[in-house]
Amino acid sequence: MPELGLIIEVVLIFIKVYIVGMILFMLPLPLTWLERKVAGRIQVRLGPHRVGPKGLLQPFADMVKLLLKEDIIPDKADRFLFKLAPLLAMIPAFAVFVAIPVGDTFTIPGIDYVFKLYISDMNVGVLYVLAIGGLGIYGIIFGGWASNSKYSLLGGLRSAAQMISYEVALSFAAIGVVMMSNSLSLVEIVKSQGGGFWNWNLFYLPVGPVWFLIFFIASLAEINRIPFDLPEDEGTLGSGFHTEYSGMRFSFFMLAEYIAMVTISVLAVVFFFGGWMPPIDPATFGIKVPAQIMSVWGIGWFIAKVVVFIYIFMWIRFTLPRYRYDQLMTIGWKILIPVSLITVLVTGLMRIFLT
Amino acid sequence: MSEKCKAKLINFVKKSVFADFIRGLYITFSYNFEGAMTLKYPDSEKWIPYRRFRGLHTLNKNSEGKELCVACELCSRACPTDCITVIPEENDAGRGIADRVAKVWEVDLTRCMFCGYCEDACPTTAVRLGREYELACTTLERGTRSRDELLLPQPVPEALTGGVVAKARFIRSADGIKVVAELGKVRQRKL
Amino acid sequence: MIEQIFFYIFAIIAVVSAIAVVTSKSPIHSAIALIITLLQVAAIFILLRSPFLAAVQVFVYVGAVVVLFLFAVMLLDLGGEKIKEQFHQQTVLGVISSVGLFVVLLFMLSRGSLTAPTGGYTEAVLAKNTEVIGKVLFTKYIYPFEVVSLLLLVALVGAVVLVLNQKGKDGV
C-alpha cells in the first residue's frame, strides 16, 4: 500500500494537468479576439465590435460557426492521416506545458503543505520542451500530404524544410541559455535569474541579447508565424497545408498555432526574462515579504511578461511582410547558425574566465 | 571605393541592429494611439455627405410653397439612361407658377446613375440630387420614386454643410432597415 | 513489477510498429510507424533512468531525421511500392544473411550472454544524468567522440562537393 503523501501527489498532478489542459483549450478564445483587436488597432480600424460588448463574444460566434460547418474530406485524400493530422498538431502543443513552471512553490499556510506551481520539474526540461514542441510539425506535414492537393503538399514540404533549418538555430539558443544558467531544468533556469532584472539572461552582456534575438527569430520560424509563415502563404499556396480543412479540423490547427505562440512566449520569458522573478526583488533592499505573497506576486509577473510577448508576436505579424523562401533559407543557414556558433564560443569563454 | 565601403558598412550596422524593423514596428505601434477611421455605420453612426453629394432626387418648392417644376421634360431629355418619366398636364388651380405642371414625375432608381444632368438641364432648379443614399430595397416597385415622395422635405436640411459623422439609430421595420441620423450630435471625421 | 509491465507494453508496440515500417506499402505510413517505434525506444530509455538520452532520441530522431525522410519522400513522390521491386535479384543473399543473423541471435540468447552488468551508478548519481553523460563523454570517450564528429564532417564536406560538382556540369 503506497503512502498517503504519494497518493495526494498523484491526485494533485491529475488535477493540475486537467486545469492546465482546460486553460489551454480556452486560451485561443481570448487570443483570437485579442489578435483581431490588435490587427484593427494597427490598421486604424475597430476590429470586432458587434457581437457582445467590444466584440468580446466574437470568438464564441466563430466557434459556433466552425462547429456547424460541413466537415469536408477530399475525395482522394488519405482518410486516416487526414483525420489524424489535426490531432498530431495539437497534442504536442499541450504536452509541452507539462514541463513549464509558472512559479516555484506555494506553502499553504496552516497545514504547511508545499504546493508546487509546476506539473513536473524534469532535469532535462529544456530538451523535453524543444523535442515535444518540434513534434507539432508532423501535423502540418501529414495534413499537407494527406489532403491530396498540390498546395497543401507544398505547404507541408516548406514546413518540413523550414523546421529542419531553424531547429538547429533554436537548439543553439537553448544551448546558450543552458550555458548561461548552468542547468537543463526550467525551474533551475528561472532560479538562476533571480534577484533583479540585471540578473536576467537577457542582460548577460554581451551575449544575452544575441541569444535572445537568435531564439526569437528561430522560434518565429518554428511556429510558422509571420514573417516566416510560408507553409500557409495565402499569396502563393491558397492557404498552404490547411487548404482542404474545414470546420472543427481546421480549428484544431488554429488552436495548435495559438498554443504554440503561447508556448514560445512562455519559453522566451523563462529563458531570458526571469520567469516569475519580479524585475526588482524587495529582498535586495532588505524588505521582508512573506513567501506566499511573493509567489502569488511572481505568478502575476509571469503572466504579465507572457502577455507582453504575445502582444509582440501579434504586433510583428501585422507589421512585417512575409519573407521569400530563399531569403528564409539564407537567414537560417547563413546568418543564424554561424552567429550562434560564434556566440557559443564567446559564452563558453565567458563562463570559463569570468566565473 | 571608400564611399562604397562606407555605404556597405552602414548598411551592415543597420541590418545587425534591425534598424528597419524597428522603424516599421514604431510606425505600426504609433497607429495604436490614432483611433479608428471606421464608422460604426449601421449601428450607431452615419456619414452626412456634403451639399455637392449626388444622391436621391428631390423636387423643390419656392418660398411660398409652390412647386417649381414646370414639366418642361428637359430633365427627361437630358437623362442619359432614360430613367426620368415626365407627363405634363394643364392645371390652373393656382398650384403651379404656370399652367403647365407635372402630372407624373417618376425616376427609375434601378437605372439612374446619379450623373446630375437632370439637375443641370432644369431651367427652374426644381430637380436637385439630394443627400439621401440608403436606397436599397427589397421590391422592384420601391426602386421607382414618384413626385409625391420626392416633394417631401429632406431629412438633412440644406443649411447643414455636411461632411460630418452624426450619431444614428438603427431601425429595423417591416419595410426594411433604416439608419436615422440625429443631426444634433455630430463629430468631425478623422482624416 | 510495474516497470516490467510498462517495458513489455513499450517493447511490444515498438516491435509491432517496426514490422509495420517494412511491411506497409505507402512510404508515409512507414514513416509514421517509424516515429512510433522511435518514441517507444525513447520511453524505454526513460525506464532505464536515462531521460537525457530519451529527450535526445525524440529531439534528433523523431524531431529531425524522420522529418528529413518525409521531406525526401514527399519531394520524390514515392507511390505505393510493388512487391517485385523490393527484391533486386538479391533474394538468396538476403535470405542467407537474415537467417544467419537470427541463428547468431538465438545462440546468444540461449547462452544468456545478451545481458550486461549494470554500471556503478546509484539512483542519486543518476538524478544528475546529463552531467554524468557529459563528463564521461568528454573525458573517457573523447577519442571515439572526436572520431565520430570527424566522420560526420567528412560526410558533410562530401555532400557539399557532390552538390557543387553537379552545379558545374549544368553550367551554372
Side-chain angles (χ1 to χ4, degrees):
Chain A
M1 189 66 199
E3 62 232 80
L4 189 69
L6 191 70
I7 293 174
I8 290 176
E9 200 85 329
V10 170
V11 169
L12 268 180
I13 285 177
F14 272 101
I15 293 171
K16 281 182 208 164
V17 168
Y18 182 77
I19 291 172
V20 170
M22 281 302 112
I23 288 175
L24 288 178
F25 251 116
M26 288 300 122
L27 256 185
L29 296 178
L31 285 182
T32 45
W33 177 82
L34 187 69
E35 175 139 36
R36 292 168 68 174
K37 272 288 182 196
V38 169
R41 277 281 171 193
I42 283 175
Q43 294 164 357
V44 203
R45 56 190 177 84
L46 286 167
H49 68 281
R50 298 196 66 178
V51 190
K54 299 261 171 201
L56 269 170
L57 298 178
Q58 183 70 41
F60 293 97
D62 287 343
M63 200 167 74
V64 170
K65 182 196 77 173
L66 285 168
L67 278 169
L68 295 178
K69 267 195 168 178
E70 189 190 353
D71 177 29
I72 301 166
I73 299 181
D75 207 14
K76 285 189 177 159
D78 187 321
R79 297 181 76 88
F80 170 68
L81 266 185
F82 192 82
K83 287 176 185 166
L84 186 71
L87 295 177
L88 279 183
M90 205 172 69
I91 292 167
F94 280 83
V96 164
F97 277 81
V98 170
I100 288 189
V102 291
D104 190 5
T105 51
F106 183 81
T107 315
I108 297 167
I111 53 172
D112 274 351
Y113 180 77
V114 180
F115 182 77
K116 295 190 188 101
L117 292 170
Y118 42 84
I119 297 174
S120 159
D121 175 24
M122 299 178 206
N123 51 13
V124 289
V126 175
L127 279 174
Y128 171 83
V129 166
L130 291 180
I132 300 293
L135 294 188
I137 199 75
Y138 283 116
I140 294 175
I141 297 176
F142 287 141
W145 186 80
S147 306
N148 195 30
S149 144
K150 51 183 172 254
Y151 298 124
S152 303
L153 180 74
L154 280 172
L157 264 179
R158 281 185 180 187
S159 175
Q162 178 175 332
M163 196 261 184
I164 293 285
S165 318
Y166 280 82
E167 186 98 327
V168 185
L170 191 67
S171 321
F172 269 125
I175 288 174
V177 173
V178 170
M179 286 169 102
M180 290 187 284
S181 290
N182 217 4
S183 173
L184 276 169
S185 143
L186 292 177
V187 177
E188 290 299 318
I189 285 175
V190 175
K191 278 184 184 164
S192 77
Q193 303 175 51
F197 67 87
W198 52 90
N199 284 340
W200 290 357
N201 276 341
L202 181 71
F203 298 106
Y204 192 84
L205 295 170
V207 287
V210 179
W211 279 131
F212 172 66
L213 282 177
I214 291 169
F215 175 83
F216 193 73
I217 294 168
S219 58
L220 269 178
E222 276 284 295
I223 61 171
N224 298 327
R225 265 189 95 77
I226 278 180
F228 302 109
D229 71 334
L230 286 146
E232 45 184 300
D233 183 349
E234 294 91 354
T236 53
L237 292 184
S239 57
F241 64 91
H242 57 60
T243 309
E244 305 290 342
Y245 280 89
S246 62
M248 267 335 259
R249 294 190 204 288
F250 168 75
S251 68
F252 282 163
F253 275 122
M254 286 291 108
L255 186 73
E257 202 172 290
Y258 277 110
I259 295 176
M261 186 171 78
V262 176
T263 312
I264 291 298
S265 312
V266 166
L267 280 187
V269 168
V270 167
F271 283 175
F272 295 100
F273 288 83
W276 62 83
M277 297 292 178
I280 289 160
D281 197 352
T284 45
F285 304 107
I287 305 164
K288 278 237 166 182
V289 184
Q292 282 89 356
I293 292 175
M294 272 316 282
S295 49
V296 173
W297 177 235
I299 294 174
W301 268 109
F302 184 79
I303 293 170
K305 287 174 195 171
V306 171
V307 168
V308 167
F309 259 94
I310 289 172
Y311 180 79
I312 289 175
F313 276 116
M314 291 175 176
W315 179 17
I316 284 176
R317 172 168 176 187
F318 293 104
T319 302
L320 301 181
R322 189 178 284 124
Y323 275 108
R324 224 168 45 217
Y325 194 68
D326 59 320
Q327 291 172 329
L328 175 94
M329 286 296 152
T330 312
I331 294 169
W333 290 105
K334 291 189 183 165
I335 298 175
L336 285 187
I337 292 177
V339 169
S340 39
L341 281 170
I342 294 167
T343 325
V344 165
L345 193 67
V346 175
T347 318
L349 291 175
M350 278 175 73
R351 291 301 300 187
I352 292 170
F353 292 113
L354 296 187
T355 49
Chain B
M1 185 58 206
S2 75
E3 276 295 301
K4 229 179 183 178
C5 260
K6 213 171 154 191
K8 258 189 181 172
L9 194 71
I10 288 171
N11 206 10
F12 177 75
V13 172
K14 263 187 175 177
K15 263 189 184 167
S16 52
V17 299
F18 298 95
D20 294 339
F21 287 107
I22 288 166
R23 205 159 68 198
L25 288 170
Y26 170 72
I27 287 172
T28 46
F29 193 71
S30 68
Y31 285 154
N32 275 320
F33 306 107
E34 287 204 353
M37 295 274 287
T38 321
L39 309 184
K40 294 175 182 165
Y41 165 50
D43 288 334
S44 59
E45 283 175 338
K46 187 177 178 179
W47 167 242
I48 307 294
Y50 291 100
R51 285 200 195 105
R52 61 172 180 260
F53 188 80
R54 297 202 296 255
L56 178 64
H57 305 66
T58 57
L59 289 175
N60 296 329
K61 295 174 179 172
N62 66 7
S63 50
E64 284 117 51
K66 284 182 179 168
E67 210 177 321
L68 287 170
C69 180
V70 294
C72 63
E73 296 179 59
L74 279 175
C75 49
S76 132
R77 287 295 164 85
C79 184
T81 59
D82 266 352
C83 65
I84 299 175
T85 314
V86 186
I87 300 176
E89 80 177 326
E90 214 165 285
N91 187 328
D92 17 53
R95 202 177 64 178
I97 55 167
D99 291 338
R100 195 181 157 105
V101 291
K103 184 182 171 194
V104 174
W105 199 100
E106 268 183 358
V107 52
D108 187 355
L109 293 175
T110 55
R111 279 162 65 183
C112 180
M113 59 182 193
F114 304 98
C115 62
Y117 279 12
C118 46
E119 212 176 12
D120 291 347
C122 188
T124 58
T125 62
V127 185
R128 282 289 311 277
L129 295 188
R131 288 190 255 183
E132 177 66 31
Y133 54 85
E134 284 163 355
L135 302 173
C137 53
T138 49
T139 54
L140 199 56
E141 290 82 60
R142 196 61 198 128
T144 309
R145 302 286 164 96
S146 64
R147 181 173 135 254
D148 298 333
E149 203 179 328
L150 299 178
L151 275 170
L152 294 174
Q154 292 214 62
V156 182
E158 194 64 23
L160 199 70
T161 323
V164 286
V165 180
K167 284 257 176 250
R169 274 172 305 127
F170 183 59
I171 297 168
R172 207 184 281 269
S173 66
D175 303 336
I177 51 178
K178 215 157 184 62
V179 183
V180 178
E182 289 166 39
L183 295 172
K185 300 171 192 164
V186 294
R187 67 171 171 88
Q188 289 298 312
R189 183 176 62 167
K190 281 201 179 68
L191 285 174
Chain C
M1 181 59 200
I2 293 173
E3 223 165 84
Q4 262 188 344
I5 293 171
F6 272 110
F7 171 77
Y8 281 117
I9 293 172
F10 295 142
I12 289 167
I13 297 175
V15 171
V16 168
S17 49
I19 292 169
V21 173
V22 284
T23 52
S24 68
K25 291 263 163 62
S26 155
I28 298 276
H29 290 174
S30 291
I32 294 176
L34 186 59
I35 293 167
I36 297 170
T37 315
L38 293 171
L39 285 176
Q40 301 310 315
V41 174
I44 291 173
F45 276 136
I46 289 181
L47 286 184
L48 293 173
R49 309 284 187 283
S50 187
F52 178 76
L53 270 187
V56 168
Q57 166 94 4
V58 176
F59 196 30
V60 175
Y61 283 93
V62 186
V65 173
V66 181
V67 173
L68 272 181
F69 284 177
L70 281 173
F71 186 72
V73 166
M74 283 158 81
L75 206 62
L76 300 176
D77 188 25
L78 300 174
E81 270 183 274
K82 292 178 192 99
I83 280 290
K84 242 186 190 170
E85 291 172 4
Q86 284 183 348
F87 308 103
H88 307 278
Q89 296 154 348
Q90 295 162 347
T91 324
V92 181
L93 276 175
V95 167
I96 290 171
S97 56
S98 51
V99 166
L101 179 67
F102 269 97
V103 166
V104 172
L105 280 177
L106 280 177
F107 180 67
M108 299 274 274
L109 276 175
S110 63
R111 290 202 30 203
S113 49
L114 265 186
T115 50
T118 40
Y121 298 115
T122 54
E123 292 275 333
V125 178
L126 282 176
K128 289 181 180 175
N129 178 275
T130 318
E131 217 176 306
V132 173
I133 291 180
K135 276 210 176 113
V136 171
L137 200 61
F138 285 105
T139 52
K140 196 173 165 192
Y141 295 110
I142 184 73
Y143 181 63
F145 181 81
E146 289 296 329
V147 168
V148 167
S149 46
L150 198 69
L151 212 63
L152 287 175
L153 186 68
V154 169
L156 186 73
V157 172
V160 171
V161 167
L162 278 176
V163 172
L164 281 183
N165 271 354
Q166 228 147 36
K167 266 194 175 172
K169 266 180 208 160
D170 296 343
V172 178

